[in-house]
Amino acid sequence: MRRHHHRIFAITGAQSPSDLTRRRLFGGAGAAVLAAALAACTGGGQLAQKSASAGGALQWWDQFRPLTKMFQDALFTPFTQSHAGVTVERRQMDAPDLGQALQVGRRSNQMPDVHSLAGLGTVSPAALVSEGWFQPIGKLADFAGSPIGEYVYDGIHRFNGEIYSFPPFSGRWHEAVPWFNTAMLKQAGVDPEEEPGTWDKLREIARKVATGNDGGAAGLVLPSKEPEYLRTLVERLAMTAGAPGPGNIDWATGAYVYDTQPYIDAIEFLVSLQKDKVVHPASASMGARDARARWAAGQAGIYLWGAWFIGGLLVDEPEAVERGVGTWHIPCPETTRNFVYSPPSSGTFWVSSQSKQARTAAELMLQMTTKEFQTRLAEAMDQPPALAAEVIQDAKVHDAYRKCVANFQDDVKIGPVPEVGNPGVWQVLAEMRDVHPNLGDIVQSVLTGASTDVGGQLRRFNDQISAERERALKAVREEKGVEVDEKAWVFANWDREKDYGQQDYAGR
């Protein structure tokens, strides 16, 4: 979530079904997938033979391109210097390639020791835990007593009493940050400091940019090739229109809300941008990273993406940052502002069940919880670190990134997560099968003109995913004896104006 990047493809605790079928994720990959994944890993058609071995280098795979130098300088080098005989081999891949490589690596018993989950869709990490992908790390290193210990949640990082992962990043973020080309806005007569607080105002600015620059640039770029980008964008916009979240659930009733007016409004807002002819004409063929490159080349003035946008620019297109980049709060339909809701940050790195170097891997991962590393993480300007509120003011970051993180403090609240409130939920999520067309598929079909029945498609999807959850609930009750029902998705004590903290689960 490619996202090279990253979070739009990261596995989360959301209640959406996976975009990969369980057959693809846990079963047989075809020959084409196998060949592509092997090539993506090394460029030479072979997986690392030392992966998951008792000796040799500790293998680490992830998709965080902007963090490459920081990982080496602030994590791997200090650790290997203080641990004689330990070496680390890191492979950074675009998220889709990483997801394929992980599937192939698991089937061929050649998994890395540590890996992120990018490229595997939106299935809950609990599903992978239940399938035996990982091994626990809480008894190998003191994550519970670390500076981020208070952010370790049951059902997200801890399963059956064992810590499997931890949140190096903050949960207070979203993927729909309006990033803009400062020079292009000024040329179009737009004051970059004037916030477009509403959707209509953002449309107006996009029209001005599209008609007020010399190079024929578009008002904004909207990468529509990747349904997952569209899914997350519409979910965030729908929240600004009043939809609850995270998880597309009405926490008062436990019902899915994909077919409600906020989702319809969010999709129609994107359609309105196309009707205004302010969207880059090649958007339908772009992935998220492609779109960033087009934006950096001056082909569009505005791009809605995550905090990592500027970190990626500094790695690949630093001239675009020198030219001028800024950011605004996420706009809402009306002047009355609604919050965006995110779950507590999920685990980002996990130790493979195939690893023979689990203790070393856990000790290495523990270094990511220190304030020193968290400061360096902020300075990489990717997703905000878990301790962002403590380290951001002293960190050496671009002003636009610092403003982005400050805006998250205003715009984002931490919402409830059903699997934290009831451990049985993760088994339901693991049981749930894909439903297609899903939200991202629907948005893509509407933007490409393949469909115009927004409301009808959303109703069908909402009915289908509701039925699939009911089937999964029945299956885990009857086959596994798990006590869980629809009430696990009800949080009567949820206050839209506040974070939902760990203590609130006991009081629901």
Side-chain angles (χ1 to χ4, degrees):
M1 92 47 171
R2 165 19 280 106
R3 192 196 284 209
H4 55 147
H5 230 290
H6 74 264
R7 241 74 44 194
I8 60 175
F9 289 96
I11 291 184
T12 70
Q15 307 313 306
S16 303
S18 173
D19 284 336
L20 294 176
T21 65
R22 291 178 62 85
R23 178 177 175 274
R24 281 189 59 199
L25 188 56
F26 304 124
V33 172
L34 176 64
L38 291 173
C41 287
T42 65
Q46 296 294 325
L47 282 164
Q49 293 302 309
K50 295 180 181 178
S51 293
S53 65
L58 186 146
Q59 302 292 320
W60 179 296
W61 293 0
D62 67 61
Q63 81 286 6
F64 297 102
R65 180 172 172 79
L67 303 184
T68 296
K69 187 176 187 302
M70 190 275 295
F71 272 160
Q72 190 62 49
D73 294 347
L75 183 62
F76 300 142
T77 296
F79 187 80
T80 56
Q81 288 177 344
S82 62
H83 292 72
V86 174
T87 58
V88 179
E89 289 184 1
R90 175 178 178 260
R91 285 181 171 82
Q92 179 268 319
M93 289 173 265
D94 288 353
D97 295 333
L98 176 57
Q100 290 185 334
L102 290 171
Q103 294 176 64
V104 174
R106 178 165 168 78
R107 294 182 62 237
S108 60
N109 199 36
Q110 297 186 83
M111 288 288 280
D113 298 283
V114 179
H115 62 87
S116 64
L117 304 182
L120 293 179
T122 56
V123 62
S124 169
L128 302 184
V129 171
S130 72
E131 293 288 338
W133 276 59
F134 317 122
Q135 55 184 300
I137 58 175
K139 294 179 181 178
L140 305 177
D142 188 15
F143 291 94
S146 74
I148 56 84
E150 64 179 292
Y151 304 117
V152 174
Y153 280 74
D154 290 335
I156 300 179
H157 317 101
R158 185 189 291 109
F159 302 91
N160 296 324
E162 298 278 1
I163 293 177
Y164 281 78
S165 189
F166 68 100
F169 299 104
S170 171
R172 204 176 301 280
W173 63 281
H174 64 78
E175 310 91 331
V177 177
W179 295 97
F180 58 81
N181 179 320
T182 305
M184 195 175 292
L185 262 63
K186 290 180 178 178
Q187 186 179 25
V190 176
D191 181 1
E193 299 300 318
E194 184 178 342
E195 290 262 356
T198 67
W199 292 355
D200 285 343
K201 183 64 175 178
L202 185 65
R203 288 178 64 186
E204 178 186 332
I205 291 176
R207 288 194 296 267
K208 288 182 178 180
V209 172
T211 59
N213 64 82
D214 299 331
L220 58 85
V221 61
L222 182 63
S224 305
K225 182 180 179 180
E226 296 169 349
E228 186 67 5
Y229 171 88
L230 297 173
R231 177 188 71 81
T232 57
L233 177 59
V234 166
E235 286 179 348
R236 298 306 197 176
L237 292 174
M239 291 177 200
T240 71
N248 328 106
I249 298 290
D250 180 348
W251 302 121
T253 65
Y256 286 102
V257 293
Y258 287 108
D259 59 345
T260 58
Q261 195 62 41
Y263 280 85
I264 295 173
D265 292 344
I267 296 174
E268 290 182 345
F269 168 62
L270 298 183
V271 172
S272 73
L273 295 171
Q274 288 195 330
K275 290 181 178 179
D276 289 347
K277 301 187 184 303
V278 301
V279 178
H280 193 294
S283 289
S285 63
M286 293 184 203
R289 193 175 179 184
D290 302 325
R292 192 195 69 201
R294 299 289 189 110
W295 182 96
Q299 296 183 22
I302 302 168
Y303 184 16
L304 300 174
W305 210 14
W308 51 86
F309 176 80
I310 191 168
L313 287 176
L314 286 168
V315 171
D316 292 329
E317 297 100 4
E319 66 281 356
V321 179
E322 295 174 5
R323 180 187 60 213
V325 56
T327 185
W328 297 309
H329 290 273
I330 185 172
C332 299
E334 308 293 340
T335 54
T336 300
R337 297 196 61 79
N338 293 308
F339 290 113
V340 170
Y341 301 97
S342 290
S345 182
S346 62
T348 302
F349 298 104
W350 305 72
V351 175
S352 169
S353 59
Q354 297 178 10
S355 175
K356 303 300 190 296
Q357 303 189 65
R359 182 173 296 277
T360 301
E363 291 174 350
L364 174 59
M365 292 162 64
L366 183 65
Q367 307 311 305
M368 303 179 75
T369 70
T370 66
K371 188 173 182 180
E372 292 75 17
F373 182 87
Q374 288 278 303
T375 300
R376 294 294 299 274
L377 193 57
E379 292 173 348
M381 288 176 278
D382 201 271
Q383 184 174 335
L387 304 181
E390 298 178 33
V391 305
I392 193 65
Q393 289 306 316
D394 295 329
K396 298 175 182 177
V397 299
H398 192 282
D399 287 343
Y401 183 81
R402 183 175 283 107
K403 182 178 180 182
C404 174
V405 173
N407 288 348
F408 288 156
Q409 306 303 310
D410 297 334
D411 296 341
V412 182
K413 296 296 182 184
I414 303 299
V417 180
E419 55 264 48
V420 176
N422 185 327
V425 170
W426 72 261
Q427 298 194 48
V428 178
L429 299 178
E431 172 67 26
M432 287 182 68
R433 300 175 299 205
D434 294 348
V435 175
H436 286 282
N438 62 21
L439 179 61
D441 300 329
I442 292 169
V443 179
Q444 186 180 62
S445 70
V446 172
L447 293 180
T448 58
S451 174
T452 58
D453 184 15
V454 176
Q457 287 197 81
L458 290 176
R459 283 191 295 275
R460 284 189 290 274
F461 174 55
N462 204 75
D463 290 344
Q464 290 170 343
I465 192 173
S466 299
E468 175 56 21
R469 185 179 65 177
E470 179 57 35
R471 184 203 65 79
L473 280 164
K474 183 178 180 181
V476 299
R477 284 196 300 261
E478 294 181 354
E479 298 172 13
K480 300 180 180 180
V482 177
E483 295 184 6
V484 60
D485 57 25
E486 293 87 348
K487 294 179 181 178
W489 282 263
V490 176
F491 294 84
N493 63 343
W494 177 57
D495 184 342
R496 298 182 71 111
E497 303 295 316
K498 299 179 181 178
D499 290 337
Y500 200 88
Q502 296 209 41
Q503 70 283 357
D504 294 312
Y505 291 94
R508 56 188 298 217

